[in-house]
């Protein structure tokens, strides 16, 4: 990241799928050349087809290709790329990668390695932002004795969590709702931690019940200007995987937006942040918000913010990396209407969201007013087990949340994908649920209170008629072709005809 | 032509007359069915209500994407039902088993070759008669010992087509 | 059109193609049922597939189907549709149709028959708006004697046009640049008019050289509120057919926009206009603008206005027809960024724009940020000779005109349509022309100053390699299949496989 | 395999070796060619420069949509060229004309039947030899008098396939 204007002409995208395509599009619209990289299974991928250049970097497992810093830098040097965009995931939050780019004199389109590092270590991050006056989930420092802890518990307040210092995977973690339970819980937690990590040290943290996941998008240039683009509501999750996001949050009002925005800006400033980033908060029922972490990269759900602010976050990232000032000031940011994003995944919502791999044999994407599709695949592309099962992101804008919601229903009904199962029925169900429509949901909603029931609009008898007519039709045709092949000469003209259609 | 159509346990009886009239569980329905180009996209008008669906055959069944919902449909015509019943009969797990033509017809496809291992239900031969195709499936697992027919052959009822051992 | 709130549930769309689909989408997003009508060739059309109901109304020629008022009203009554949207073209500007709807108690989503009638007769329209203080192209009244005319010519000013009163098709029309030419021109014009129409009466009109076609979108509710949504620049035309439109116009500044907007509103008020309409102006080099006509319907190019105002004009039309007030006041209208629309037509730009009919065998539509496609067809749909050759409208938004332009280039490159020729190369060429980029063009630009030259990015040798490899490939495959059919038994499994692919 | 490829008057000589190496007008080019699924969409990498194209056969030629431009490409392999030369020979406009096999091969398709009217250049038979298909076209207009072969037949060089009168 330069602090004097850097003019670059060619950008290597160290990623794949929809986000690689998204970045390639931004580059094309800025007149920049692009270099795509691909693994064996991605040879035909959309990001390869849409890029001006494409280079093979190894076998499907990410560690051998998309996570290989050496290979990617080698391609960058070979092609004379003067910048690298990491997208999200893979190498996006690896300080060593950002540093390696700098060493090679290649602009890294993202924050400085130091900022990535500081926010990457959760304990450091917690300390740093707290020092900057950013509220964090209340709790104790580490390593207190039992007596101290039982006292501290009173201050932290119930319900609370006892967490193992060396913790992870819930081991040595206990939820305590009642002071009377505290002592037993503490001992069993220590025992479990001792057994699991050989270290019985624990600390206390307030338990945020029915919390919402709300995040603030920030933009910072290299001249100290930091602005926020409002919040995104990301509480629709399953196993910590976001499934649907919206902006603005139905839970956040203007005052709260301003306040959280200001806090997020402080968090970014605390690590001298420069580029686009997202500050995630946990928000409780009483609208208290607590810093969770800062993602030092582009988010999957950035389009909902782009829709309501009319800003292009990826172009802004490139602009910042070029050492230019932000294109807008905070006063020039206005939230217009509402946007919703549905992540369209190759998984079976009726079968415990089991991933569904295969080739997309046919696809019709929704179009028309207020609809945006960010896709990494087209008809003929495979969804492999090697990478995440996201097919695309469907984003809809409306002048009100209700309008965006109705438009999303329309778009989901238009979206046709064959060859594998998708979670579209889940989204259709969700958009029909009264609690979602009312905006009354938290991070536990999908797993605890939402049940995917039969789509009320199911028309099995219609499906039965259609399948029967198609079968009737096809068998007759098949029979004809075979008879022709066997008996008369015109047959293969049909064959040729079919070939053409296959190609078409 | 009569079809037994099953979606998630629910079975529908659908009849298509020579004139293309359709009965759903005995009730006449007015349908207008059209394929869009040569793709898997279809338009169906049922008493002027409009439905658009993508249809794809998959593993002998039919995938129908209708208004966002994907239906896995099993379409069985009378002959196929008869044949399935056959395949259903308990057959010895060992020794030879002759797969015979249940009716006179034309061999449309042979999906096995000598020496090939087959599992229960694997397609072995497609026999066409009266403009309809009928899949003959392996009634038990085994190895193909003999293949007596090839594509284009006309066969008599009960003629042995393939032998599994 | 009701003047007390009318709640309707079901809308019949008396149109076809992209605009029918556009209106159906708006209805779905408002929770309204839709009734589509179709002619024989449109049985499979997208507007039929996307509508909740569809009715056959006759053979392909419009007069027997889409122009048949009786048939359409019959369907409306039969289905219990309580409103009809005419779209554009066909019956959209037929006062008798609007009146017939009223008589049947069906809401006509458009202005009153009187307004349609007044604006439909160009002479009446000219008189009416002039009385309302709207500037019209200067000229003489009808039926003056030669002496009077030669005097009047001086006031009108040169260059001027001598037009036959009974005129049409340029018969009896003469352009006069120099007073000395006037007398001869007058006589020959009268002679030609006499011969052509048996009426030698002529009048004079100032000739607007190098004029631009700029139109103002207006919205009026039934309570006297009339607002404008700014202008659209429509000077990119060929034979009076618009090919590309943009908003705002690079030629119009804020002051001019306000002034023309106010004038357009006066024009609408002069006929007690109620619903969406467009006032077309001819604008000369000196920024003088003259009323041309008012289109009392939805325009093809309405999406560029929707993009820069974030308003949904079709939903607004329905809202107005329901007897509700406009959703926004003039103060709440703000122009954000710039939008461009390319009309994608089935015609061969390299062969005098000859219409190209056929079936769309494959299509990939551009997606991603700031791109909207309003299409009336999908893969497998035919483009027939019966209706206009428009395949779709590709609309791109950018925060500046330059950004919108670059995005349009990106989108055009992504747009793939097979099975017939399209004018996409024309648009790509146009977007590369310096005069267009500079916004320096008028209605004569395309026909007089723009020459479609070879795309500088042509790569015939690459096309040659691709075609050869595809041919090589395909012939080998074909050969294999045939051999199998002939000789061994596995063949037809492939056949089945192909069937599946064909279906897929 | 050598191909003569023509686009708007400009002709390219393209050679594809058994190993898949490609020469354009004698110059070796490093290409990586892939079809996306079973559609007409292709990806071509030429020295790592990426091209995406939609390809469709149409009336014996190839339509290639590349970066917004549609190319109408004529791909002729050596045999076909030879055959075209043949068809080019002046032939009597009247009387019988025998279309003979220019080489031994397998009849892949027969596109005419007895009594059918054909115009100059109409496809008559496709003959496959050495894995390549060769279209035999009518050298002059006329009516098909006789069809001596059917799909699947193996024919000798100079064997009469079809007679036009």
């Amino acid at each position: 990241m330069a602090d004097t204007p850097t003019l670059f002409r060619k950008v290597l995208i160290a990623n794949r799928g929809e986000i690689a395509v998204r970045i390639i599009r931004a580059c094309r619209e800025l007149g920049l050349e692009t270099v795509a990289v691909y693994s064996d299974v991605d040879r035909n991928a959309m990001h390869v087809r849409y890029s001006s250049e494409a280079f093979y970097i190894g076998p499907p497992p990410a560690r051998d290709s998309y996570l290989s810093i050496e290979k990617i830098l080698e391609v960058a040097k070979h092609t004379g790329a003067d910048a690298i965009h990491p997208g999200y995931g893979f190498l996006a939050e690896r300080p060593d990668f950002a540093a390696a780019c700098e060493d090679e004199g290649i602009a890294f389109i993202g924050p400085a390695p130091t900022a990535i590092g500081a926010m990457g270590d959760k304990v450091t991050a917690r300390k740093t932002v707290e020092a900057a006056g950013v509220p964090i989930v209340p709790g104790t420092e580490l390593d207190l004795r039992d007596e101290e802890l039982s006292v501290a518990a009173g201050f932290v307040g119930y319900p609370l969590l006892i967490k193992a210092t060396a913790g992870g995977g819930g081991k040595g973690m206990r939820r305590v709702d009642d002071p009377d339970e505290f002592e037993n819980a503490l001992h069993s937690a220590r025992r479990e931690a001792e057994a699991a990590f050989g270290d019985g040290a624990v600390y206390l943290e307030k338990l945020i019940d029915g919390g919402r996941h709300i995040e603030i998008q920030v933009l910072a240039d290299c001249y100290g200007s930091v602005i926020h683009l409002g919040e995104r509501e990301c509480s629709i999750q399953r196993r910590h995987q976001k499934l649907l996001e919206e902006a603005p949050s139905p839970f956040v009002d203007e005052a709260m937006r301003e306040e959280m925005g200001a806090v997020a800006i402080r968090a970014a400033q605390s690590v001298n942040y420069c580029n686009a980033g997202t500050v995630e908060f946990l928000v409780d029922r009483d609208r208290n918000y607590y810093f969770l972490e800062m993602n030092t990269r582009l988010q999957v759900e950035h389009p909902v913010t782009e829709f309501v602010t009319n800003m292009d976050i990826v172009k802004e990232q490139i602009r910042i990396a070029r050492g230019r000032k932000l294109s807008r000031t905070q006063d020039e940011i206005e939230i217009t209407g509402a946007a919703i994003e549905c992540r369209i995944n190759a998984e079976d919502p009726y079968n415990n969201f089991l991933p569904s791999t295969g080739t997309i044999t046919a696809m019709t994407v929704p179009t028309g007013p207020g609809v945006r599709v960010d896709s990494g695949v087209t008809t003929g592309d495979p969804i492999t087990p090697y990478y995440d099962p996201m097919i695309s992101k469907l984003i809809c804008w409306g002048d009100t949340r209700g309008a965006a919601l109705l438009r999303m229903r329309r778009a989901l009904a238009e979206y046709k994908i064959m060859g594998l199962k998708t979670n579209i029925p889940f989204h259709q169900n969700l958009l029909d649920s009264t609690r979602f429509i009312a905006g009354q949901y938290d991070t536990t909603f999908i797993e605890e209170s939402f049940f995917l029931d039969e789509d009320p609009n199911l028309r099995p008898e219609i499906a039965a008629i259609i399948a029967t007519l198609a079968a009737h039709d096809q068998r007759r045709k098949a029979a004809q072709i075979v008879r022709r092949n066997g008996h008369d000469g015109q047959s293969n003209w049909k064959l040729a005809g079919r070939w053409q259609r296959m190609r078409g | 032509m009569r079809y037994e159509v099953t979606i998630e346990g629910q079975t529908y009886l659908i009849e298509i007359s020579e004139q293309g009239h359709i009965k759903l569980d005995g009730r006449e329905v007015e349908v207008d069915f059209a394929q869009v180009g040569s793709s898997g996209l279809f338009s169906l008008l049922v008493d002027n209500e409009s439905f658009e669906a993508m249809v794809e055959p998959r593993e002998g069944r039919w995938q129908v994407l209708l208004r966002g919902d994907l239906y896995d449909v099993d379409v069985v015509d009378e002959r196929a039902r008869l044949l399935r019943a056959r395949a259903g009969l308990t057959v010895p797990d060992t020794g030879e088993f002759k797969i015979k033509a249940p009716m006179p017809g034309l061999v449309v496809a042979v999906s096995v070759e000598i020496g090939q291992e087959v599992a229960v239900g694997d397609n072995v031969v497609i026999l066409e008669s009266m403009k309809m195709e009928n899949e003959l499936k392996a009634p038990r697992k085994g190895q193909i010992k003999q293949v007596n027919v090839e594509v284009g052959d006309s066969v008599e009822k009960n003629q042995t087509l393939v032998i599994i051992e």
Side-chain angles (χ1 to χ4, degrees), chain B residues 1 9 32-33 75 82 100 117 129 132 150 162:
Chain B
M1 193 64 214
D32 175 353
F33 183 69
V75 180
L82 181 130
K100 298 179 174 179
E117 292 292 344
S129 72
M132 299 304 304
E150 68 173 40
V162 170

Side-chain angles (χ1 to χ4, degrees), chain B residues 71-127:
Chain B
Y71 300 84
D72 180 43
V73 189
D74 188 23
V75 180
V76 186
D77 64 65
E78 281 167 321
R79 280 180 203 64
R81 201 163 68 249
L82 181 130
L83 297 159
R84 285 196 187 180
R86 253 179 189 279
L89 301 172
T90 52
V91 292
D93 268 12
T94 56
E96 282 191 359
F97 181 87
K98 296 191 173 69
I99 293 181
K100 298 179 174 179
M103 68 206 70
L106 171 76
V107 176
V108 164
V110 182
S111 59
V112 295
E113 49 194 315
I114 289 167
Q116 183 178 327
E117 292 292 344
V118 293
V120 176
D122 281 0
N123 290 313
V124 175
V125 169
I126 293 184
L127 195 61

Side-chain angles (χ1 to χ4, degrees), chain A residues 418 421 459-472 475, chain B residues 3-14 24 53-66 69-77 84:
Chain A
M418 296 296 280
K421 293 202 165 66
R459 301 293 296 268
E461 81 287 1
I462 298 297
I465 291 172
I466 290 171
T468 306
L469 288 166
H472 191 70
R475 291 180 170 197
Chain B
Y3 292 89
E4 207 173 82
V5 186
T6 311
I7 299 177
E8 303 211 339
Q10 170 79 31
T11 298
Y12 305 86
L13 182 66
I14 295 176
L24 171 64
M54 277 213 181
V55 181
E56 218 172 72
R58 176 169 284 205
E59 289 144 21
R61 300 168 66 87
W62 293 84
Q63 305 287 308
V64 177
L65 184 66
L66 177 66
D69 292 296
L70 186 67
Y71 300 84
D72 180 43
V73 189
D74 188 23
V75 180
V76 186
D77 64 65
R84 285 196 187 180

Side-chain angles (χ1 to χ4, degrees), chain A residues 48-276:
Chain A
V48 170
R49 277 144 40 204
Y50 278 32
S51 177
S52 30
E53 296 173 53
F55 283 80
Y56 170 72
I57 53 166
R63 67 177 175 289
D64 304 323
S65 46
Y66 297 107
L67 282 174
S68 167
I69 294 181
E70 319 72 61
K71 286 179 177 173
I72 287 168
L73 286 179
E74 191 186 314
V75 172
K77 281 180 284 182
H78 175 74
T79 56
D82 20 42
I84 291 183
H85 196 306
Y88 53 69
F90 295 129
L91 297 169
E93 287 175 296
R94 289 266 303 269
D96 53 339
F97 181 56
C101 292
E102 276 191 21
D103 299 345
E104 296 292 349
I106 298 168
F108 177 78
I109 301 175
T114 51
I116 300 174
M119 287 300 180
D121 175 331
K122 302 312 164 197
V123 178
T124 313
R126 210 173 132 97
K127 282 211 171 77
T128 316
V129 302
E130 187 177 20
V134 175
I136 59 173
V137 180
T140 65
E141 316 114 58
L142 316 178
D143 261 339
L144 298 179
R145 280 173 291 102
D146 290 11
E147 313 75 66
E148 299 169 312
L149 282 170
S150 44
V151 176
F155 294 103
V156 173
Y158 293 89
L160 58 74
L161 281 177
I162 303 174
K163 285 184 165 180
T165 306
K171 281 261 184 310
M173 185 171 11
R174 288 285 180 287
R175 171 188 174 135
V176 188
D177 297 271
D178 180 329
D180 306 347
E181 306 165 2
F182 184 76
E183 213 168 316
N184 292 339
L186 177 59
H187 296 320
S188 64
R190 281 200 190 278
R191 272 197 305 279
E192 191 171 302
E194 185 67 51
F197 318 107
D199 173 2
V202 298
Y203 68 102
L204 308 182
E205 198 178 81
K206 187 174 179 19
L207 181 125
I208 310 297
D209 229 356
R212 284 172 170 259
H213 176 123
I214 296 175
E215 58 189 28
I216 301 282
Q217 174 71 55
V218 297
L219 291 176
D221 64 24
C222 312
Y223 307 96
S225 318
V226 188
I227 65 173
H228 74 87
L229 305 184
E231 81 283 4
R232 289 186 290 259
E233 168 65 70
C234 309
S235 301
I236 297 294
Q237 306 182 348
R238 188 179 163 283
R239 302 199 177 156
H240 305 292
Q241 293 304 308
K242 297 169 185 170
L243 291 167
L244 177 148
E245 302 95 346
E246 52 181 316
S249 165
F251 192 65
V252 175
D253 57 27
E254 190 51 37
M256 188 175 177
R257 176 172 305 118
E258 283 324 307
E259 193 183 321
M260 289 179 75
V263 169
I265 287 172
R266 278 209 298 283
Q269 286 165 329
S270 73
V271 292
N272 302 314
Y273 202 81
C274 173
N275 206 285

Side-chain angles (χ1 to χ4, degrees), chain A residues 320-375:
Chain A
I320 293 166
R322 280 172 152 174
R324 296 177 56 197
K325 292 192 153 67
L326 294 178
S327 66
R328 294 201 219 168
T329 65
Q330 190 67 62
D331 306 344
E332 294 167 321
I333 303 303
E334 201 194 339
I335 306 298
T336 311
I340 301 177
E341 169 180 282
C342 290
R343 299 193 186 190
I344 309 302
N345 297 334
E347 53 192 19
D348 182 357
Y350 293 111
N351 185 7
N352 200 31
F353 292 85
L354 201 73
S356 165
T357 59
T359 295
I360 293 173
T361 51
M363 177 158 72
T364 305
V365 298
T367 57
V371 175
R372 167 177 171 183
V373 178
D374 275 23
S375 178

Side-chain angles (χ1 to χ4, degrees), chain A residues 276-296:
Chain A
T278 297
V279 182
E280 296 191 337
F281 292 98
L282 192 61
V283 182
D284 69 19
R285 294 202 181 80
D286 312 321
R287 296 170 177 277
N288 304 308
Y289 49 89
Y290 308 95
F291 173 89
L292 278 179
E293 60 178 325
M294 180 171 187
N295 297 319
T296 57

